[in-house]
Amino acid sequence: MNPEKRRTVIAGNWKMNFTPAEATAFINEVKPLVAGKDNCDVIFCAPFVTIAAAQEAAKGSNIKIGAENVHFAEKGAYTGEVSAQMLTACGVEYVIIGHSERRQYFGETDETVNLRTKAALAAGMKVILCLGEVKDERLNGITNEIVSMQTKLDLLGVSAEQMKNVIIAYEPVWAIGTGLTATPEQAEETCAVIRATLASIYGEDVAESVTIQYGGSMNEKNAAELLAKPNVDGGLIGGASLVAEKFRAIVDAAQ
Ligand code: 13P
């Protein structure tokens, strides 16, 4: 973290978990545990049908509720999709885009991730843009090239001004849901590569101001070490964001 330069953000990605009733119960449980922990922003990204219940439960707290994806069209014949206009009409400010599970299982590419990112930003949303290498890419020593290319492609046409509303989540695919975590050194090195890529596009000042999270089996045990690295500005948390005490410990590590 480097709180003098950029905001620390701890975000949960609930993925396909929690009914509205479960989300309400969870937010009510976690709310007092993270209250007053003002050194980081606290966000939970929820399934579309769970957002309203989570928002209601989070009212008056420091918890913000986001979505897990957004389509790039405003409206139209896109069965099963939800637009940025629909999300903002529901008071949703944050949205995850480009998660590896979307890329892996639902055919999303850097091109569609870029379209979604531009649409969300144009609608005034804040984007948590996910990228990261798969295992073979790391084993073959091309992680830096991969994340640099993804950063460039996913942000094509995004202005320096709009970067104020972009958080990047570096999520090595091999570490997601596997219990394997990037070492703090690996996370730091790759986040620094992403920041250097941002500097090559937008200049140093913008690059230094962008929050870059780490995601991939971040938990209550490894969070402090990861967050101690200067280029790791927070976490995007899957499994541990479903357990209030674990999530609290991660938020505490960011204080
Ligand atoms: P896990 O924390 O369960 O590995 O998931 C990470 C993730 O995909 C967050 O978006």
Side-chain angles (χ1 to χ4, degrees):
M1 301 184 291
N2 192 337
E4 274 146 44
K5 292 192 170 159
R6 47 200 173 251
R7 193 76 185 141
T8 304
V9 181
I10 303 295
N13 173 9
W14 284 348
K15 308 192 179 184
M16 200 170 73
N17 293 289
F18 286 169
T19 63
E22 289 166 343
T24 300
F26 179 82
I27 293 290
N28 284 334
E29 187 186 354
V30 82
K31 208 162 37 173
L33 304 183
V34 300
K37 310 272 170 76
D38 293 333
N39 287 346
C40 65
D41 288 341
V42 177
I43 306 167
F44 289 100
C45 294
F48 292 128
V49 296
T50 298
I51 287 174
Q55 282 173 323
E56 183 60 32
K59 254 185 202 160
S61 76
N62 58 334
I63 295 172
K64 295 173 185 142
I65 306 299
E68 298 177 13
N69 199 12
V70 63
H71 195 258
F72 40 82
E74 223 169 284
K75 58 183 170 181
Y78 299 101
T79 302
E81 294 283 332
V82 169
S83 72
Q85 286 68 24
M86 292 169 179
L87 289 173
T88 54
C90 295
V92 181
E93 192 183 356
Y94 287 89
V95 61
I96 293 173
I97 296 179
H99 193 277
S100 67
E101 287 149 18
R102 299 293 321 170
R103 297 179 191 249
Q104 227 177 326
Y105 306 135
F106 302 100
E108 292 199 27
T109 62
D110 286 315
E111 191 181 357
T112 59
V113 169
N114 174 247
L115 288 172
R116 289 175 200 262
T117 300
K118 285 188 291 192
L121 291 171
M125 298 190 77
K126 295 189 164 76
V127 170
I128 300 176
L129 170 65
C130 302
L131 50 89
E133 81 287 0
V134 299
K135 188 173 168 194
D136 272 356
E137 291 164 344
R138 180 158 285 273
L139 292 178
N140 282 294
I142 57 169
T143 296
N144 294 356
E145 287 89 336
I146 293 293
V147 298
S148 176
M149 187 61 80
Q150 287 176 328
T151 303
K152 289 178 185 168
L153 290 173
D154 296 349
L155 292 173
L156 267 182
V158 173
S159 70
E161 182 62 24
Q162 286 177 313
M163 286 306 292
K164 290 183 182 143
N165 290 324
V166 176
I167 294 167
I168 294 185
Y170 164 55
E171 298 210 307
V173 180
W174 50 269
I176 293 178
T178 57
L180 296 172
T181 315
T183 63
E185 291 69 32
Q186 286 172 325
E188 168 63 16
E189 184 191 349
T190 312
C191 289
V193 167
I194 294 168
R195 199 175 306 286
T197 307
L198 293 175
S200 75
I201 309 169
Y202 298 108
E204 284 291 334
D205 286 356
V206 171
E208 285 298 323
S209 68
V210 174
T211 295
I212 304 181
Q213 300 171 310
Y214 167 80
S217 302
M218 189 187 260
N219 58 36
E220 70 285 6
K221 298 195 184 86
N222 57 32
E225 261 190 325
L226 287 158
L227 294 171
K229 294 296 181 188
N231 280 293
V232 178
D233 307 314
L236 185 57
I237 297 113
S241 77
L242 301 169
V243 183
E245 279 297 342
K246 292 186 180 182
F247 191 82
R248 176 245 283 262
I250 298 171
V251 169
D252 281 347
Q255 298 309 298

